[in-house]
Amino acid sequence: MNTLTTTDAPTAPAPEVVKELPVNKNADTNDWDTVFAIRFNDANVAISNSWAKIDDKAKNVSQVATDDPNYNLTGVLGPWQLTIGGDGKNIRMNCPFVSGNFNAGPSKKYDVKGYEVIIEVGMQWVPNPDQFAFSIGDNKKIDPIKDALNNSSLSDGLKAEFTSHGKTLSPASSVEVINIDKDWVITDGKANYYIFFYKDKYQSEFLQVYQFEDSWKNNLKILENSISEEEPAVVIVTIKNNKTDGIAAAVLQEIISEWFNTNIGEFNHVFSSLDLSPALSNSDKYKWIKPTGTSYAVTDNGTLENSVFGVLTMTQGNTSPASHQVSPNAIPDKDGANAGFLISGVAFMKNMMLSSAQVIFNNEAATSFDIANDGLTVTNNKKLTWGRFKKDDTVIATISSSNIADLDNNKLSDALVAELKGKWISTGQQGEGYYDPGIMVNGYAAHVSAKGLSWYLASPDLKTQYLLELDDKDATKIKMYNSMVFTIEKQQFKMSLINSYLEIQFIDLLYPESWEYDVHINYTEQVSLGLKAIGGKQIFWFDKVTKNMTVNVTKTKASITVNIVEDAVMAVVGLIAVVAPLIDGIRAAASIVEVAEDAGSAVIGVDAFADAFEDISEVEQEFNEGNALVNGLEQARGGWPAFKNAFTATRWKILGGIAGLIGAGVATQAAIEAAMEAMAKGKWEDVPGFDEFADDAIVPYSWPGVDGYDLKNATLASSLQVGLKTKSKQ
């Protein structure tokens, strides 16, 4: 097997062991899968800079009063601007007229240049991007259309409206009445359309038509349940600089209300470049993050500088929540970030950390894990083997590599048994060093770990195992080692997102130290994630760590003594660190809290870890981390590293899993190994950076006038929170 040496270890600083973890401001996604957030003033500048590219339908106003054509409005709107006063799903915008005229009757005309229409939009009404939708706002047209719909039929007027908007209803179309006079569903083959009726406060009537697919249906059901004649899609809050009065003032508001409510779909022309789905629609790389439902929300913090606009999305067909809220903390308040991207804690655990859990357990199937604790914990649903490790580097036997074909087929052949005769050291109830070839033939079985590279021989109860590994220096030989096999029962491994950090728990991790007693380990590690600049890119990094451990020794045959517990502690601390000062410091701090004939235990607290790390140099810490990375890579490949540093190697395997996921969309074994090998050799240019993830998954949120983003930070804050700084186009 090809192995790496510790001289290839990474040169990046080792993670710091701390006694306190950070507490980040909660950036909850409020049950949406992803949230993109930007401040009002930055969004407004971007909209203004590229208003010329926005569809003309969002700019050109032409509306006639339905009861008197002498009252009519024509004009051109300047850049729509977010303004304060809204909250949640109700977004306020200032829509200024740059030119236009309002004819108030046959003889009076107003120049509307400089009028500023303040509107409030209920964003649940705004069609999803790329969704076919239109409105009918002519009272005279609506009554016959409604009458026909109430009788489960289609009027010629409604068919004509569909045709004018680019869709033709077939003769086979059918109508289902959901609520008389309120909402209906039209089915035309595979196409489905929801139609809603509502009025604004001026008693202008509207029919809103949405085409929906399965992925949009949940959103429309929410709209169906929340529809209210008292809450039209667009409310005219006020008209600034308005020179009209009397009847003219009232009619102007009615006309403007009708235009905005009829053209509610045009809001997505303003926000269209924020839609992530077109940019990712042809990519399988990040299909798990592709929106299948989109909405918008604001948090009004009193000024344009600190109020937040958010794009809310659901992915993988998940049901959209009824709430439309964006966290005031969605944008990190550090490093100059003025935009933020959030991946919900549930989506982060399911789509990123679940893959990492699979890596920890040597590419275990995803079906071996459940997502628990409201989606924030990955846990195993069956007994798993965490690792098979060499007890030490002593080769207890060598055999010919001519046995590879049999071993690769999980076969313990007679030829292999014969070759091992006299070399096999079996541990059983008869005592240490007992040998009986019959045990091999009658009970032991061969198992392949990595074809052509590594295997193990196991007793029927799996408690006694031997490791076989192709000699990386002499391909004619296979080396045999004594092993330590760690297993964990179902639901005893847990990886949880706890606001600002990731907690990794091994509960009652077990290995049989000998036929006389077993060793049980409870180990908890809290990891703070962040970014570290290495090799010209940003790497997703384990920033700060705290650790606790309890070692329990239980009797199988012999009585437990203090010395046995101390010896177990001496061995187990090797799971954490390979550098001698660390082992000595942690072992010295271990507190033997209970010793009985049947069991004894020792506690190693966070202080012991912190104190031990304080006593060693940065060079020794780097050496320790380098060994852990090498060991993690060997194990990810199916190899058998010494069990020293195994817990630290687990952290590297988690990092390798995330890196593989970011680089390939899925944490494939090949991607993980490639990423970890590049890390181990210090070839950071070959390690997938978080920058690459940001480029592919976040840059599609490019506002008009914004030329991408600078990645500023990434952290955990109830979600995976990414801080960005917009780059303006010149």
Side-chain angles (χ1 to χ4, degrees):
M1 170 176 286
N2 294 324
T3 58
L4 299 170
T5 65
T6 54
T7 57
D8 296 315
T11 57
E16 178 187 1
V17 175
V18 297
K19 299 181 182 181
E20 293 184 5
L21 285 160
V23 178
N24 299 323
K25 291 182 179 178
N26 188 27
D28 196 349
T29 63
N30 296 299
D31 296 325
W32 292 85
D33 288 338
T34 72
V35 173
F36 175 82
I38 191 167
R39 293 195 177 96
F40 280 17
N41 56 348
D42 296 307
N44 286 337
V45 169
I47 294 173
S48 297
N49 286 345
S50 64
W51 187 246
K53 297 179 182 179
I54 300 298
D55 194 287
D56 286 344
K57 292 179 181 180
K59 305 173 186 177
N60 298 327
V61 178
S62 179
Q63 191 68 42
V64 177
T66 56
D67 55 354
D68 187 347
N70 289 313
Y71 286 82
N72 57 78
L73 172 67
T74 59
V76 177
L77 293 172
W80 300 8
Q81 300 281 273
L82 297 165
T83 189
I84 59 175
D87 192 29
K89 67 182 179 182
N90 298 314
I91 297 177
R92 289 196 178 185
M93 301 195 79
N94 184 336
C95 304
F97 277 94
V98 295
S99 65
N101 293 293
F102 170 48
N103 294 311
S107 59
K108 197 166 187 178
K109 180 185 288 188
Y110 294 90
D111 182 353
V112 297
K113 180 179 180 180
Y115 286 28
E116 297 179 4
V117 183
I118 308 301
I119 62 174
E120 185 167 281
V121 189
M123 297 308 290
Q124 79 273 24
W125 288 94
V126 177
N128 281 283
D130 296 335
Q131 181 182 11
F132 174 75
F134 66 91
S135 296
I136 305 170
D138 187 330
N139 289 26
K140 294 177 181 178
K141 293 180 179 179
I142 288 174
D143 285 343
I145 292 174
K146 282 177 55 184
D147 289 342
L149 290 171
N150 285 334
N151 288 300
S152 300
S153 63
L154 298 171
S155 69
D156 290 340
L158 182 56
K159 292 177 183 177
E161 289 290 330
F162 268 86
T163 301
S164 69
H165 287 90
K167 296 277 187 180
T168 300
L169 294 175
S170 75
S173 299
S174 61
V175 178
E176 177 186 356
V177 180
I178 306 299
N179 295 290
I180 291 287
D181 286 333
K182 183 180 178 183
D183 53 336
W184 308 262
V185 172
I186 296 176
T187 301
D188 187 6
K190 294 184 178 180
N192 300 278
Y193 306 91
Y194 261 109
I195 302 180
F196 299 96
F197 170 77
Y198 64 94
K199 296 179 182 179
D200 66 9
K201 65 181 180 179
Y202 310 108
Q203 298 305 300
S204 296
E205 297 180 344
F206 303 94
L207 285 173
Q208 190 75 32
V209 181
Y210 299 89
Q211 182 179 5
F212 71 91
E213 299 173 0
D214 288 343
S215 58
W216 308 122
K217 189 171 183 178
N218 292 322
N219 297 33
L220 292 166
K221 284 293 185 184
I222 291 171
L223 180 56
E224 175 194 345
N225 294 332
S226 65
I227 188 172
S228 168
E229 291 189 6
E230 288 72 41
E231 293 185 17
V234 182
V235 174
I236 308 303
V237 177
T238 189
I239 302 175
K240 293 183 177 180
N241 306 319
N242 186 0
K243 302 298 191 296
T244 64
D245 57 15
I247 294 175
V251 174
L252 178 61
Q253 288 216 30
E254 291 177 25
I255 289 176
I256 291 177
S257 175
E258 187 167 345
W259 186 84
F260 275 109
N261 277 283
T262 302
N263 293 278
I264 184 68
E266 305 316 315
F267 285 81
N268 268 322
H269 288 299
V270 179
F271 302 142
S272 60
S273 58
L274 284 166
D275 175 31
L276 184 61
S277 54
L280 295 180
S281 60
N282 296 320
S283 173
D284 290 333
K285 192 172 182 181
Y286 297 109
K287 59 184 178 181
W288 66 270
I289 208 170
K290 174 184 173 181
T292 53
T294 303
S295 192
Y296 310 94
V298 296
T299 293
D300 186 347
N301 291 320
T303 68
L304 296 178
E305 289 74 21
N306 61 13
S307 295
V308 178
F309 174 83
V311 185
L312 319 174
T313 75
M314 297 305 288
T315 65
Q316 301 173 317
N318 295 331
T319 301
S320 298
S323 65
H324 285 66
Q325 301 289 330
V326 58
S327 170
N329 303 319
I331 302 172
D333 57 355
K334 59 182 179 180
D335 301 327
N338 66 348
F341 183 72
L342 309 179
I343 297 175
S344 76
V346 173
F348 172 68
M349 296 304 293
K350 176 183 177 182
N351 296 294
M352 298 180 80
M353 296 315 301
L354 172 59
S355 296
S356 296
Q358 293 176 248
V359 175
I360 290 175
F361 289 94
N362 304 313
N363 214 28
E364 185 70 37
T367 53
S368 299
F369 300 91
D370 293 328
I371 306 291
N373 185 29
D374 294 329
L376 298 179
T377 296
V378 176
T379 185
N380 59 314
N381 57 34
K382 69 175 188 179
K383 182 177 180 179
L384 296 177
T385 297
W386 172 52
R388 295 178 175 86
F389 304 96
K390 302 170 187 172
K391 278 194 173 182
D392 53 46
D393 291 322
T394 303
V395 178
I396 61 173
T398 58
I399 57 175
S400 169
S401 59
S402 62
N403 295 284
I404 284 179
D406 288 332
L407 290 169
D408 278 348
N409 288 296
N410 300 314
K411 183 179 179 182
L412 182 58
S413 65
D414 292 341
L416 179 57
V417 171
E419 190 171 351
L420 282 170
K421 188 175 182 180
K423 303 177 182 178
W424 189 285
I425 303 174
S426 176
T427 303
Q429 293 185 357
Q430 293 90 338
E432 188 76 29
Y434 176 78
Y435 165 71
D436 180 354
I439 293 178
M440 292 188 294
V441 176
N442 298 327
Y444 278 79
H447 305 268
V448 61
S449 295
K451 282 195 172 184
L453 295 174
S454 57
W455 312 263
Y456 64 95
L457 307 178
S459 62
D461 61 5
L462 301 179
K463 286 190 173 182
T464 305
Q465 298 187 23
Y466 298 91
L467 306 180
L468 302 176
E469 191 172 77
L470 185 66
D471 191 329
D472 61 331
K473 296 180 180 178
D474 185 350
T476 67
K477 295 179 181 179
I478 294 174
K479 297 183 289 187
M480 184 173 178
Y481 301 88
N482 280 317
S483 73
M484 300 178 72
V485 182
F486 292 81
T487 59
I488 193 164
E489 295 295 330
K490 67 178 182 179
Q491 298 181 341
Q492 300 295 80
F493 166 79
K494 296 180 180 179
M495 185 188 298
S496 303
L497 174 60
I498 303 178
N499 187 265
S500 303
Y501 59 88
L502 194 70
E503 182 172 85
I504 305 163
Q505 291 179 284
F506 292 87
I507 303 168
D508 199 24
L509 188 67
L510 171 67
Y511 80 95
E513 171 61 24
S514 74
W515 65 278
E516 295 178 314
Y517 59 87
D518 293 333
V519 176
H520 308 255
I521 304 163
N522 288 289
Y523 179 75
T524 300
E525 183 173 70
Q526 288 102 13
V527 180
S528 174
L529 299 180
L531 297 180
K532 186 179 291 291
I534 306 175
K537 63 176 66 177
Q538 303 259 38
I539 306 294
F540 207 35
W541 199 260
F542 294 92
D543 191 25
K544 299 179 186 301
V545 182
T546 63
K547 305 173 183 179
N548 279 283
M549 175 184 284
T550 301
V551 180
N552 293 288
V553 182
T554 58
K555 168 185 174 181
T556 56
K557 290 294 179 184
S559 298
I560 302 302
T561 67
V562 171
N563 287 338
I564 288 174
V565 176
E566 288 179 341
D567 288 345
V569 170
M570 186 182 302
V572 167
V573 293
L575 289 165
I576 305 153
V578 68
V579 179
L582 278 176
I583 294 177
D584 293 341
I586 294 172
R587 185 177 64 225
S591 174
I592 309 295
V593 296
E594 176 188 349
V595 175
E597 182 180 343
D598 293 329
S601 63
V603 176
I604 306 172
V606 65
D607 289 347
F609 292 106
D611 292 343
F613 268 85
E614 288 175 0
D615 291 339
I616 68 170
S617 69
E618 287 187 8
V619 173
E620 288 173 315
Q621 289 190 43
E622 286 184 27
F623 181 80
N624 178 55
E625 289 292 315
N627 273 278
L629 177 51
V630 171
N631 289 344
L633 176 58
E634 285 181 340
Q635 193 177 353
R637 288 174 167 172
W640 314 121
F643 84 110
K644 60 187 179 183
N645 234 332
F647 278 125
T648 312
T650 289
R651 283 199 290 107
W652 277 108
K653 287 200 290 180
I654 294 174
L655 180 59
I658 294 176
L661 179 77
I662 290 170
V666 182
T668 63
Q669 189 72 9
I672 293 160
E673 289 181 14
M676 292 182 68
E677 182 164 4
M679 294 175 194
K681 290 183 175 180
K683 294 183 176 180
W684 297 101
E685 66 277 7
D686 296 331
V687 178
F690 198 78
D691 324 59
E692 298 166 30
F693 175 77
D695 285 344
D696 282 340
I698 299 169
V699 164
Y701 285 104
S702 55
W703 274 94
V706 173
D707 188 21
Y709 302 88
D710 287 325
L711 178 62
K712 289 298 182 181
N713 49 59
T715 191
L716 298 177
S718 293
S719 59
L720 174 59
Q721 182 183 45
V722 182
L724 306 159
K725 174 73 173 176
T726 57
K727 294 189 289 188
S728 297
K729 292 183 178 178
Q730 300 300 320

